[in-house]
C-alpha cells in the first residue's frame, strides 16, 4: 500500500494489529511495523533497507519444513520484502544490491517448494507482481535476462525449451535475410545496406533475445495449460490467449526490455493485421513489424514440429510446415520472409537439423541445469 492511500489513523491500526501478532508471524509482522513507522514516524529508508537485508537472510531458515521443502509462507515473506524495497526511498545502488539478494534467495527457494497447485499459484503470483518489478533496479541487462529465463525454466519447462528453439530459429533465418536479402532490413529500419551488414551481430543478438522473451508472460499461466500433454479446452485456450498481454506488461515494467514488447505482444497477430490475438498492438504501425513477423514464423515452425513437448498432436516434418507457410503467405505470414526460407536450401537444412538434433540438445541442457 502506498503512503498516500492511508490516513494516519489507518496506519496506526495496522501498526497495533501487527504488534499483537508479532509472536505468531514474526517476520511479516515486524515488516508491517517497520513500514508503518516509515510512513507514520518518518523512519528513514536506510533503516528499512537494512531490516529488509536482515530479514531476507532469515527466510530460508525460518520456513524450511522437516522434509526439507520450503512452505508457501516463505514466498509471501519474500514478496513482502520485495514490495517494501520497491516502496522505500533509498540510494539506487542499495536497491540494486538488495533486489539481487532477494532474487537470489527466490531462485534457490524455487528448488525446494512443495509441489502442489496452491504453492505453484503463489509462486507465479509472486514472480509476476513482486519479483519482476525488482528487475528494473538492475543495470546489468544480462542479469535481467538471466533472472527472467531462470524463472521461466523453473516454472515452465516446456515454455523454456520452446523459447530457446524460437530464439535459435530466429537467428538462423535472420542470418539468411542479412546475407541474401538485406534490403528487407534496410527498408524496415531506414538504413543502408552496408549498415545492415555492419550491424549483423547486433541484429542477431537482438532477435535471439526477442525469441527468448517472446513468451515470458506464460509465467502467469497455470502449469496445467502449459504441460502440452493434451489439446486445450476452450476455457484454457481463452486463458492462454492472454499471455502476449502479460508478456507486454512484464517487458514494459523493465526499461531495458521495452524494446521487445511489441514483438511479444504481436507474435500471434496475422501478418496482414486481420485476425490473430490479442490485438493490443497495431503491428502494421509498429517499427518492429519485420521482427514480429519473423518471431511469428519461428513460433509456428517450432510448435508444428515439436516431437516431445506437445504430445497431444502428431508433429509434422519441416517440408510440410514450409508448404503450409507458403499457403498462408500474405495473410498469416510475411511473403518476404517465407520466400527467404523457400529459396535458401542451406537454411532449410539448418532448420531441419535444429528441430531434430537441436531440440534434443536443448532438452539435455535443461535436464543438466535443473539437476545440477
Amino acid at each position: 500500500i502506498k503512503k498516500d492511500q492511508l490516513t494516519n489513523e489507518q496506519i496506526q491500526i495496522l501498526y497495533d494489529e501487527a504488534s499483537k501478532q508479532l509472536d505468531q508471524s514474526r517476520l511479516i509482522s515486524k515488516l508491517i511495523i517497520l513500514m508503518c513507522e516509515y510512513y507514520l514516524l518518518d523512519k528513514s529508508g536506510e533503516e528499512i533497507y537494512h531490516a529488509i537485508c536482515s530479514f531476507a537472510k532469515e527466510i530460508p531458515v525460518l520456513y524450511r519444513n522437516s522434509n526439507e521443502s520450503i512452505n508457501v509462507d516463505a514466498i509471501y515473506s519474500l514478496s513482502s520484502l520485495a514490495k517494501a524495497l520497491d516502496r522505500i526511498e533509498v540510494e539506487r545502488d542499495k536497491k540494486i544490491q538488495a533486489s539481487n539478494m532477494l532474487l537470489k534467495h527466490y531462485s534457490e527457494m524455487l528448488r525446494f517448494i512443495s509441489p502442489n497447485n496452491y504453492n505453484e499459484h503463489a509462486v507465479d503470483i509472486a514472480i509476476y507482481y513482486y519479483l519482476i518489478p525488482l528487475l528494473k533496479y538492475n543495470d546489468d541487462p544480462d542479469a535481467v535476462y538471466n533472472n527472467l529465463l531462470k524463472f521461466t525454466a523453473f516454472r515452465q519447462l516446456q515454455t523454456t525449451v520452446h523459447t530457446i528453439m524460437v530464439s535459435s530459429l530466429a537467428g538462423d533465418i535472420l542470418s539468411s535475410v542479412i546475407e541474401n536479402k538485406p534490403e528487407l532490413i534496410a527498408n524496415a529500419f531506414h538504413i543502408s545496406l552496408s549498415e545492415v551488414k555492419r550491424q549483423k551481430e547486433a541484429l542477431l543478438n537482438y532477435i535471439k533475445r526477442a525469441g527468448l522473451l517472446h513468451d515470458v508472460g506464460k509465467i502467469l499461466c497455470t502449469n496445467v495449460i502449459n504441460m502440452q500433454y493434451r489439446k486445450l479446452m476452450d476455457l484454457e485456450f481463452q486463458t492462454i490467449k492472454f499471455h502476449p498481454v502479460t508478456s507486454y506488461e512484464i517487458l514494459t515494467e523493465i526499461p531495458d526490455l521495452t524494446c521487445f514488447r511489441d514483438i511479444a505482444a504481436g507474435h500471434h497477430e496475422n501478418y496482414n493485421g486481420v485476425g490473430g490475438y490479442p490485438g493490443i498492438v497495431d503491428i502494421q504501425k509498429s517499427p518492429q513489424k519485420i521482427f514480429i513477423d519473423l518471431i511469428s514464423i519461428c513460433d509456428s515452425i517450432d510448435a508444428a514440429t515439436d516431437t516431445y513437448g506437445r504430445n497431444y498432436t502428431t508433429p509434422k516434418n519441416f517440408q510440410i510446415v514450409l508448404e503450409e507457410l507458403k499457403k498462408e503467405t500474405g495473410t498469416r505470414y510475411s511473403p518476404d520472409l517465407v520466400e527467404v526460407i523457400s529459396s535458401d536450401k542451406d537454411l532449410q537444412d539448418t532448420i531441419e537439423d535444429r528441430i531434430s538434433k537441436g531440440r534434443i540438445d536443448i532438452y539435455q541442457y535443461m535436464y543438466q541445469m535443473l539437476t545440477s
Side-chain angles (χ1 to χ4, degrees):
I1 300 172
K2 293 181 181 178
K3 185 174 183 179
D4 57 9
Q5 291 178 297
L6 295 171
T7 64
N8 286 349
E9 183 182 7
Q10 289 170 326
I11 296 173
Q12 186 65 51
I13 291 169
L14 285 174
Y15 181 90
D16 293 340
E17 289 301 316
S19 299
K20 292 176 187 176
Q21 297 178 34
L22 197 52
D23 294 335
Q24 299 160 294
S25 179
R26 191 167 65 89
L27 192 149
I28 294 283
S29 296
K30 284 176 72 173
L31 185 61
I32 292 172
I33 289 169
L34 283 172
M35 291 304 292
C36 287
E37 291 175 347
Y38 178 66
Y39 286 170
L40 193 62
L41 305 176
D42 292 325
K43 179 168 277 195
S44 73
E46 191 80 16
E47 289 181 77
I48 309 298
Y49 161 76
H50 287 296
I52 288 171
C53 293
S54 176
F55 291 163
K57 294 173 184 176
E58 295 180 39
I59 287 178
V61 178
L62 285 176
Y63 296 112
R64 179 70 62 81
N65 292 333
S66 58
N67 63 355
E68 292 303 304
S69 64
I70 295 285
N71 66 35
V72 77
D73 287 340
I75 299 301
Y76 292 139
S77 298
L78 199 65
S79 300
S80 300
L81 294 175
K83 187 53 69 176
L85 180 65
D86 199 25
R87 289 279 183 256
I88 63 173
E89 291 184 15
V90 70
E91 294 172 13
R92 181 174 173 81
D93 286 347
K94 291 186 174 178
K95 284 206 174 187
I96 292 171
Q97 183 181 354
S99 65
N100 286 340
M101 179 174 60
L102 292 174
L103 290 166
K104 181 176 182 292
H105 277 306
Y106 190 85
S107 296
E108 292 171 351
M109 285 165 52
L110 277 175
R111 294 175 293 169
F112 298 103
I113 280 289
S114 302
N116 61 58
N117 288 344
Y118 178 73
N119 284 357
E120 290 186 358
H121 178 67
V123 167
D124 294 340
I125 293 296
I127 290 173
Y128 183 71
Y129 286 107
Y130 299 102
L131 296 175
I132 285 174
L134 291 184
L135 294 178
K136 65 177 175 283
Y137 296 118
N138 200 312
D139 293 328
D140 179 0
D142 287 333
V144 173
Y145 291 117
N146 289 335
N147 273 299
L148 278 177
L149 294 176
K150 193 183 295 183
F151 292 154
T152 308
F154 278 112
R155 301 304 306 134
Q156 306 287 357
L157 180 59
Q158 287 87 346
T159 298
T160 308
V161 173
H162 169 66
T163 56
I164 295 173
M165 282 293 297
V166 169
S167 174
S168 301
L169 291 167
D172 296 334
I173 296 171
L174 182 58
S175 185
S176 178
V177 171
I178 293 171
E179 291 302 314
N180 302 313
K181 215 165 184 181
E183 62 271 19
L184 295 180
I185 303 298
N187 293 338
F189 297 107
H190 309 292
I191 57 178
S192 66
L193 293 176
S194 60
E195 184 67 8
V196 172
K197 299 284 187 180
R198 192 177 73 81
Q199 293 288 344
K200 179 178 179 179
E201 288 306 311
L203 289 164
L204 290 174
N205 184 53
Y206 177 85
I207 200 61
K208 287 177 182 178
R209 287 190 163 179
L212 291 173
L213 295 171
H214 82 283
D215 269 350
V216 67
K218 284 187 178 178
I219 286 173
L220 207 57
C221 290
T222 173
N223 276 343
V224 171
I225 290 179
N226 279 323
M227 284 294 286
Q228 310 286 7
Y229 65 92
R230 57 165 170 76
K231 191 173 182 179
L232 296 180
M233 295 183 291
D234 289 345
L235 180 60
E236 291 171 328
F237 184 60
Q238 290 301 317
T239 300
I240 207 166
K241 282 169 70 173
F242 280 103
H243 81 266
V245 178
T246 48
S247 296
Y248 182 89
E249 291 171 347
I250 288 170
L251 298 175
T252 299
E253 180 84 25
I254 305 166
D256 284 338
L257 304 185
T258 54
C259 58
F260 300 107
R261 62 185 180 184
D262 280 12
I263 297 171
H267 73 278
H268 283 292
E269 304 282 354
N270 289 345
Y271 164 79
N272 63 1
V274 180
Y277 63 88
I280 62 170
V281 186
D282 185 349
I283 66 169
Q284 302 301 318
K285 295 180 180 177
S286 172
Q288 303 286 318
K289 177 72 166 69
I290 190 168
F291 287 153
I292 294 171
D293 296 336
L294 176 53
I295 294 296
S296 178
I297 287 174
C298 297
D299 188 85
S300 295
I301 291 173
D302 179 62
T305 60
D306 188 353
T307 314
Y308 306 112
R310 301 170 190 257
N311 52 10
Y312 61 85
T313 188
T314 303
K316 303 169 183 175
N317 67 52
F318 174 65
Q319 291 304 320
I320 291 175
V321 175
L322 182 55
E323 290 305 312
E324 292 177 353
L325 293 176
K326 291 177 183 177
K327 288 178 183 177
E328 295 191 77
T329 57
T331 53
R332 176 70 182 92
Y333 303 110
S334 162
D336 291 325
L337 294 176
V338 173
E339 172 59 26
V340 167
I341 301 170
S342 302
S343 59
D344 187 342
K345 184 63 171 62
D346 288 341
L347 174 60
Q348 292 177 37
D349 291 341
T350 299
I351 292 174
E352 288 187 329
D353 185 66
R354 183 80 68 189
I355 61 181
S356 54
K357 181 179 179 297
R359 187 179 280 119
I360 294 172
D361 291 342
I362 292 169
Y363 270 97
Q364 290 175 338
Y365 166 75
M366 292 301 301
Y367 174 78
Q368 290 164 2
M369 187 191 78
L370 291 172
T371 56
S372 66

